[in-house]
Each structure stands twice: as C-alpha cells, then as structure tokens.
Amino acid sequence: MKAIVQKKNLKALIIGYLFILPSIIGFSVFVAYPLITSFYYALTEWDGFNKPKYVGIDNYIYMFTVDPAFWTSIKVTFYFVFLSVPASLALGLLLAMLLNKNLPGIKYFRTFYYLPTVLPIIASLTLWKFIYQPQYGLANQVLNLLGLPQGTWLTDENTALISVIINGLWQVGGTMIIFLSGLQSVPQDFYEAAQVDGATRWMSFIQITIPMITPILFLQLILGIIGAFQGFTQVLVLTNGGPNFSTMLLNFKIFQDAFNGKMFGYAISEVSILFAIIMLFTLVTYKFSNRFVYYENDNR
C-alpha cells in the first residue's frame, strides 16, 4: 500500500515538473543566461562581432575617470527622474480625482484621457515633434495668441529636457486609471463621517484620501522610478540626445555606445551601473515605505 502511494506521489511530482518545465527553460534561456553572461561581457572589449577580449575593470575605470559623457548622462537622467516622476504622479492623481465623479458622460471623459496611452508611441512622438516645431508648431501658436514669448523647445538646451518631460505627461492615462481604481475603493462612509465632524474637502483629502491610497502611491512610485530610469524612446525620436547632450539619458547613451560606437562590452558595463542605480532606488524606496504606506489591517 505504501509503495502504491509513493508511486502516485512520484507520478504527480513528475507531472508537476513537466508543467513548469517550459517556464524554467524560458527563464533560463531568456533571463538567467543573458544576466550571467553580461557580467563577463562587461569586463571585455567587444565590438559585437569579433571575439571579446578580457580587459578586467578597464571599462569601469574609463567610465568613471575618462568618459565625460557618462557623468553628463547620469546628471541628465537624475534630473529627468526627479522631475518626471513627481509630475506624473501629481497629474495622474489630479486627473483621477476629477474623473472620480458621478457626472453625465463621465465615462467618455475617462476614455478621452486614457486614449494617448494606447496610441503607438512613435506616432505619438512624431505628433509632439510637430507640436514643438518652432515656426508652425501648436505650442508656439498658442503662446503667440496669448501674447507670450515663443520657444525653440527641442533645439534649446535649456528647454529640451523639460519638453521631453512634458511629452511624457501626455501618456499619464495609465497612472490615472490605477489612481482612479484606488479612489473608488475608499469607503464613502469615511467622507460622510468627516463631513458630519465639519472637515473641509482639503482636510478629507489629506486625512482620508491620501492615507487610504498610499499602497497605490507606493506602487506607482516604484513603477515610475523604474520606468523613468529606462527612458529612451522619447529622446531617440524627439532630440537624439541633444542639443549639447542636454537630453542624453543614460539608457540612450548605452544605445549609442553599443550600436553607433560598436562598444558592446563598454555598453554592457554601463548597463550594470544603470541596473545598480535602479536596484538601489527601489530598495531604498521599499525600505522607507513602512513610514508612509498604510494597509487595511495596519495597527499603526
């Protein structure tokens, strides 16, 4: 009897492993192997075609002591993250609050604000390139009607990065939808009790809405930080890293070094630095999350 049970357990175990085998193979081939080999290629001089030459930590020495574009890209990337992430969160939350109303036709407004998110990214960026066009673009036409000075936007190093960030806010619909789902999960009883106690709308927002959606805020913050550090397509289409390296994000520099400079080994070493930065920011944010994130069964 015991042998029969063991045989059945073994059969169930084998079947279980067969079901997860495709996932194990996929993870090994497309995630684990590239990740492990990247540590080796980061220590090589490799043009992507010929046999890589092991150079130790020379790539990192060159990166930190010789390559001025690396530090410029780090500076630009940090500006981009610290400006775009809070702006995206604030605008997404504001739109979600405006659309969290039971008004006639509100579903059409929600669809309208979400539409830019589903547009093809290249088509959307091409549209924005036309909007920023100095002579005939919509941005300068609007400023002209308002009697305000016009800008050169993408060709001015003082405004290029801000222009790229504003373009990113165009696709804040995904953030807005997640915030909207969080707002709709807040019990209305809390607001009614606060109203009875004489609380203003601002007080209800600060003392009820924000604490109740802090798990959503935390999720959006983590996703926003990771996404901003990986910014690439906007720069590729709108500015190509210019003018004068003012929009040279680290992710775009990695692309330039790999495919234009044929320095794949050096580019992979830069990838490892970008990976370390994203990991550090994620861990620090997660570490301090218990100070501002409140869950339903939290006793604090």
Side-chain angles (χ1 to χ4, degrees), residues 201-243:
R201 290 186 177 181
W202 175 250
M203 292 169 64
S204 297
F205 173 72
I206 294 297
Q207 297 180 9
I208 298 176
T209 304
I210 292 297
M212 291 298 292
I213 65 169
T214 47
I216 302 291
L217 274 171
F218 174 58
L219 170 68
Q220 297 282 41
L221 180 62
I222 291 290
L223 294 178
I225 289 173
I226 295 174
F229 271 116
Q230 295 177 331
F232 171 76
T233 312
Q234 309 100 304
V235 172
L236 175 67
V237 176
L238 294 178
T239 63
N240 203 32

Side-chain angles (χ1 to χ4, degrees), residues 27-40 268 275:
F27 178 81
S28 302
V29 173
F30 298 109
V31 178
Y33 177 73
L35 183 64
I36 293 171
T37 53
S38 68
F39 288 110
Y40 168 71
I268 293 172
F275 174 79

Side-chain angles (χ1 to χ4, degrees), residues 127-147:
L127 172 65
W128 272 90
K129 202 168 184 177
F130 175 75
I131 291 174
Y132 284 137
Q133 208 279 335
Q135 290 182 311
Y136 309 107
L138 180 62
N140 276 348
Q141 294 297 325
V142 172
L143 291 177
N144 188 35
L145 288 175
L146 297 175

